[in-house]
Amino acid sequence: MTVPRRSQLNHLKYLTSTAQSCFDASFKNTRLTEASQFYSSLIQQCLHTRSLLDVGIVQTHMIKSGYIHLHIGNKLIDASLKCGSISYARKLFDELPNRHIVMWNSMISSYISHKKSKEGIGLYERMVLDGVYPDEYTFSCVFKAFSNLGLINEGRRAHGLSVVLGLEVSNVFVGSALVDMYAKFGRMKDARLVSNRVVDKDVVLFTALIVGYSQQGDDDEALEVFGNMINQGIKANEYTFASILITCGNLEDLTNGKLVHGLVIKSGYEPAVASQTSLLTMYARCGLIDDSLRIFKRFPNPNHVTWTSLIVGLVRNGREELALTKFRKMIHKSIVPNSFTLSSALQACSSLAMIDEGKQIHATVTKFGLDRDLYAGAALVNLYGKCGSTEMARFVFDALIDIDVVSMNSMIYSYAQNGFGHEALQLFNSMKELGLEPNEVTILSVLLACNNSGLVHEGCQIFATFMNNQTIELTRDHYACMVDLLGRSGRLEEAEALVKQVRNPDVVLWRTLLSACKLHGEVEMAERAVNKVLELAPGDEGSHILLTNVYASTGNWSQVIGIKSTMRDLKFKKNPAMSWVGVDREVHTFMAGDLSHPRSREINETLEKLIEKVKLLGYVPDTRFVLQGMDEELKKRSLYYHSEKLAISFALLMSSNKNTIIRIFKNLRVCGDCHSWIKFVTKVSGREIIARDAKRFHHFKDGLCSCGDYW
């Protein structure tokens, strides 16, 4: 029996008007095979037209004819699924009196592939209760569903059943699915045990194991598994290569990375997008960003993953300006960025303190509906914090729907580096109410907040609380922060004792103590600290410079001359102090006494006027901060032309709008005299000034600074 070829509409009319009489006349004397062929041809036409309505009509006539054959029933379910209706397929499935394993598998896999893992697992459990034994296809589907929902106990029970049915060891598909499930649960020991028991391993199983180890941060094991796979003569595929290249990048293992690159070329997978993107990432993580750029140029049409990998790599390698250029090109080419792309672009803006560019990217984040995304949100908080805009950082933070420890750390750190210690502590204390557990970064950020605000008692309490905490191990960074807090507050003996508590204290700890000695003119302790630094790093420039400053601050010029002579012999070169300021989207850089700026005459005139005005309010140049042996009047003149003073004078020259905040940046710490001078300038100019130095932000307004003079 054949069905006439008609349009979909005519075909429906044909079925409706003639099917019943056709069925009545035909099926009374038609053999089973002919009926099967008849319905199969109808279902085939349903698939051709993708019409669910046709499927329904065929089913109706099958019921009326009393013909519900197992084979045809499965075809009906398959047609319903291919027509896009999993609910109708389930209705057909439930109505069938007998269900073959193929039907069960079709329904279970469809649920899971449509991100309905819960329904898929429910059907699997019903299947087992009905006495239908799962096969390898069933297990490979449900193991994925268990990992999707994080149901480790249920996954273990299904694993047990696969063992009873003899499928765990003998079937590589089941073995690979099990390895993948345990890897996603983070149970790599279980994943490895399953892998070892599978008789005939394939590339899929090895790849699942490699990805699992890599995602759990155990890249050495991932590399070992890859080596075992190659030694067993199993050829890697595109996804294996992509995963192991990322592993080499994580380890910054350029040697093995290049070896794998050679295998990629030999295997013919180099043109594949996944391999190319992973190669780009690997070279970027190994510091060869120019190689990454060359690989990127080979892409005819890079996708958002490739663009993101490049931008992340550029930021990681300190090429923030180029990263932002690439980001703009990506947007221009209508490639939609994801939260990782935007987070990296925002990180580039943070490093360069480009708040205007950051605001534009913030608008892009909002445009794509990612302003409440945790990654993008944390990056925005970090951006505004590093640009000195804590109010905007808090606005973004409060708008986040879900707050995790990363976004919380970003906000606490924003407060910390801007000198708002009490606000940082308040946020830290609220973590328990929000159900968030602090981690190492949280503790470091809150200690920094105490340090930058002079909250010595609070910092000591927090440090003591976590010193014996079993869940958080304090690192040298935590100790360095506490040494700085104690040292800057004048508690030098306690600071030195804390350094000695650390097993094998490093250069950073001793240099931190040395900085505190410089601040308080403690010569003997400074000499001890310098000796320790030079034991660990004989060529350390910073310690020589700091000791020179210690001697200079106490007027010991003979020692200053001696150390400077040693530094010349060792060919040390001190980095000059520099300040820069952005005006009309252009960055202007200044050094002390610098006359190279095209408008230096006008800058100096503005500066001279400011000095006269602030003197009337009580400013007195503090010559203690001139660490050179010279006449007192010359010391005062040298203070007048510090880089930060020149930068602020230029900003005031170029902008008379009192509502515009002046933002300056310095590569070293702001000196004490400039700190005092800037406070007076905010009074005479009525302007708010934000200064970001090597350690923190200072918010100057109405003659006051956010640091409370604990600079």
Side-chain angles (χ1 to χ4, degrees):
M1 182 178 286
T2 59
V3 178
R5 292 181 178 273
R6 301 167 182 263
S7 69
Q8 182 178 352
L9 182 61
N10 289 335
H11 175 54
L12 293 175
K13 288 179 179 178
Y14 169 79
L15 282 175
T16 305
S17 62
T18 66
Q20 187 62 54
S21 59
C22 175
F23 288 179
D24 291 343
S26 301
F27 285 172
K28 286 177 182 177
N29 300 308
T30 303
R31 293 191 305 274
L32 196 65
T33 53
E34 290 177 333
S36 178
Q37 290 172 1
F38 173 76
Y39 281 116
S40 293
S41 65
L42 286 178
I43 293 168
Q44 199 60 39
Q45 284 208 20
C46 295
L47 286 173
H48 179 72
T49 59
R50 296 287 178 183
S51 171
L52 189 64
L53 185 58
D54 282 10
V55 175
I57 292 172
V58 172
Q59 185 216 5
T60 301
H61 289 302
M62 286 177 67
I63 293 169
K64 286 183 178 180
S65 68
Y67 181 81
I68 302 293
H69 189 261
L70 194 64
H71 175 63
I72 300 298
N74 185 50
K75 285 192 173 184
L76 270 175
I77 291 170
D78 184 59
S80 301
L81 292 171
K82 287 178 179 175
C83 289
S85 179
I86 195 168
S87 58
Y88 190 75
R90 179 60 185 268
K91 179 177 177 292
L92 291 175
F93 178 85
D94 289 338
E95 290 174 357
L96 289 173
N98 299 303
R99 304 175 191 89
H100 190 270
I101 181 68
V102 175
M103 293 186 189
W104 288 97
N105 286 343
S106 294
M107 286 303 307
I108 291 168
S109 66
S110 293
Y111 274 130
I112 295 166
S113 63
H114 284 81
K115 297 182 180 179
K116 294 184 176 182
S117 296
K118 187 176 180 181
E119 289 85 346
I121 290 171
L123 200 58
Y124 159 77
E125 289 172 345
R126 177 180 159 188
M127 170 187 179
V128 174
L129 288 172
D130 285 0
V132 179
Y133 289 135
D135 61 10
E136 63 271 19
Y137 189 80
T138 321
F139 282 123
S140 64
C141 290
V142 295
F143 289 144
K144 180 181 178 181
F146 290 131
S147 62
N148 289 343
L149 298 177
L151 301 174
I152 187 166
N153 292 328
E154 290 81 352
R156 284 187 180 281
R157 282 198 292 271
H159 180 188
L161 182 57
S162 72
V163 172
V164 171
L165 296 175
L167 293 172
E168 181 215 40
V169 174
S170 63
N171 192 282
V172 70
F173 297 107
V174 176
S176 299
L178 272 168
V179 168
D180 183 63
M181 179 186 77
Y182 282 121
K184 286 176 179 174
F185 285 144
R187 307 295 290 263
M188 292 310 301
K189 186 176 180 181
D190 292 331
R192 192 64 176 263
L193 286 171
V194 171
S195 170
N196 291 340
R197 286 199 293 264
V198 175
V199 177
D200 295 317
K201 301 176 180 66
D202 67 358
V203 66
V204 177
L205 185 145
F206 275 110
T207 302
L209 202 56
I210 290 166
V211 170
Y213 277 125
S214 183
Q215 289 179 345
Q216 293 300 315
D218 202 345
D219 295 295
D220 288 314
E221 285 290 337
L223 205 56
E224 183 192 328
V225 171
F226 179 75
N228 292 339
M229 184 188 83
I230 298 299
N231 291 336
Q232 291 179 35
I234 297 172
K235 292 183 178 180
N237 61 24
E238 176 187 350
Y239 303 104
T240 321
F241 282 128
S243 301
I244 203 64
L245 284 167
I246 296 295
T247 293
C248 293
N250 292 341
L251 293 169
E252 298 182 11
D253 186 346
L254 186 59
T255 302
N256 277 315
K258 285 184 174 181
L259 288 173
V260 174
H261 188 176
L263 286 173
V264 171
I265 295 169
K266 187 177 178 181
S267 303
Y269 285 113
E270 192 179 30
V273 172
S275 298
Q276 289 273 305
T277 302
S278 295
L279 277 168
L280 185 157
T281 302
M282 185 272 291
Y283 282 117
R285 289 182 180 176
C286 291
L288 300 181
I289 191 62
D290 290 330
D291 287 356
S292 297
L293 287 164
R294 279 191 286 272
I295 291 168
F296 183 79
K297 286 180 182 178
R298 298 178 196 164
F299 282 88
N301 296 297
N303 59 24
H304 78 278
V305 176
T306 309
W307 278 102
T308 301
S309 297
L310 180 66
I311 292 166
V312 169
L314 287 166
V315 173
R316 181 188 179 97
N317 285 274
R319 304 280 288 275
E320 290 90 355
E321 290 184 4
L322 184 56
L324 290 172
T325 300
K326 294 295 183 183
F327 175 75
R328 292 185 206 106
K329 284 185 179 179
M330 175 184 176
I331 298 298
H332 182 70
K333 290 180 177 290
S334 300
I335 307 294
V336 178
N338 59 22
S339 59
F340 299 106
T341 325
L342 293 162
S343 298
S344 298
L346 288 166
Q347 187 181 340
C349 293
S350 301
S351 299
L352 298 170
M354 297 175 66
I355 191 167
D356 292 333
E357 183 89 10
K359 284 179 178 178
Q360 290 178 11
I361 297 173
H362 187 175
T364 305
V365 170
T366 305
K367 176 184 175 182
F368 290 109
L370 294 169
D371 48 324
R372 296 187 177 184
D373 176 86
L374 283 174
Y375 293 103
L380 281 167
V381 170
N382 189 50
L383 163 75
Y384 287 117
K386 286 190 174 179
C387 290
S389 183
T390 51
E391 288 183 3
M392 196 63 197
R394 186 59 190 255
F395 174 80
V396 173
F397 178 78
D398 288 338
L400 294 174
I401 296 174
D402 296 313
I403 296 172
D404 65 355
V405 71
V406 176
S407 53
M408 180 66 77
N409 288 347
S410 296
M411 192 64 236
I412 292 173
Y413 184 70
S414 294
Y415 279 137
Q417 63 186 339
N418 284 279
F420 298 111
H422 291 289
E423 289 82 352
L425 284 172
Q426 187 178 19
L427 205 57
F428 172 69
N429 292 330
S430 71
M431 290 184 71
K432 194 171 184 179
E433 297 173 15
L434 296 170
L436 297 174
E437 288 294 327
N439 59 18
E440 290 84 355
V441 177
T442 319
I443 306 308
L444 186 60
S445 298
V446 79
L447 286 175
L448 180 64
C450 294
N451 193 350
N452 286 345
S453 303
L455 302 174
V456 182
H457 176 70
E458 292 84 348
C460 289
Q461 276 190 325
I462 292 167
F463 187 81
T465 300
F466 287 94
M467 199 170 181
N468 299 313
N469 190 289
Q470 299 298 317
T471 57
I472 295 177
E473 184 178 353
L474 296 180
T475 66
R476 286 192 176 95
D477 289 334
H478 295 96
Y479 277 88
C481 198
M482 270 307 295
V483 169
D484 195 40
L485 176 61
L486 292 168
R488 291 176 70 79
S489 64
R491 295 162 65 169
L492 291 168
E493 291 78 12
E494 292 176 68
E496 186 176 24
L498 191 60
V499 172
K500 292 176 178 178
Q501 283 183 32
V502 179
R503 183 181 297 175
N504 302 319
D506 61 5
V507 171
V508 174
L509 275 165
W510 286 113
R511 197 189 289 142
T512 302
L513 181 63
L514 181 57
S515 295
C517 294
K518 172 211 161 188
L519 184 64
H520 296 285
E522 177 55 58
V523 177
E524 289 184 15
M525 190 180 291
E527 290 173 340
R528 290 199 298 272
V530 164
N531 290 334
K532 290 292 185 182
V533 171
L534 295 180
E535 282 178 16
L536 297 167
D540 185 71
E541 294 181 40
S543 59
H544 284 85
I545 293 167
L546 283 169
L547 187 58
T548 302
N549 292 341
V550 172
Y551 287 134
S553 66
T554 58
N556 193 339
W557 300 111
S558 60
Q559 290 283 18
V560 171
I561 293 167
I563 294 175
K564 285 189 174 181
S565 176
T566 302
M567 290 174 68
R568 280 193 296 271
D569 293 341
L570 294 171
K571 296 182 180 181
F572 287 165
K573 188 177 179 181
K574 182 180 177 181
N575 290 327
M578 291 190 295
S579 297
W580 58 97
V581 63
V583 175
D584 296 330
R585 295 182 178 275
E586 188 177 349
V587 176
H588 299 259
T589 306
F590 299 88
M591 290 191 289
D594 189 5
L595 298 175
S596 63
H597 195 279
R599 304 189 67 172
S600 61
R601 184 180 59 81
E602 296 166 88
I603 294 167
N604 286 342
E605 287 175 359
T606 303
L607 178 56
E608 293 288 348
K609 289 176 183 177
L610 281 172
I611 288 169
E612 291 304 317
K613 288 179 180 178
V614 297
K615 278 183 176 180
L616 294 173
L617 291 179
Y619 165 70
V620 177
D622 192 344
T623 56
R624 291 177 304 164
F625 294 97
V626 180
L627 303 176
Q628 296 175 18
M630 61 173 66
D631 179 77
E632 191 70 13
E633 194 58 36
L634 288 175
K635 285 184 178 181
K636 289 179 182 179
R637 294 299 299 175
S638 71
L639 285 171
Y640 292 161
Y641 297 99
H642 275 194
S643 62
E644 47 265 68
K645 291 186 176 81
L646 292 170
I648 290 170
S649 298
F650 175 68
L652 288 168
L653 172 68
M654 299 301 293
S655 170
S656 58
N657 185 353
K658 291 192 175 184
N659 293 321
T660 303
I661 298 172
I662 295 172
R663 300 174 188 273
I664 70 161
F665 308 90
K666 189 177 179 182
N667 63 332
L668 305 176
R669 273 189 170 178
V670 174
C671 88
D673 177 73
C674 289
H675 188 274
S676 174
W677 181 83
I678 297 170
K679 289 197 296 181
F680 282 107
V681 169
T682 60
K683 276 189 171 184
V684 299
S685 66
R687 301 287 289 274
E688 183 179 350
I689 299 173
I690 298 175
R692 174 181 172 181
D693 66 14
K695 180 173 170 57
R696 53 161 300 157
F697 278 90
H698 297 266
H699 294 250
F700 297 94
K701 187 176 182 181
D702 300 328
L704 299 172
C705 179
S706 60
C707 72
D709 291 345
Y710 189 79
W711 55 271

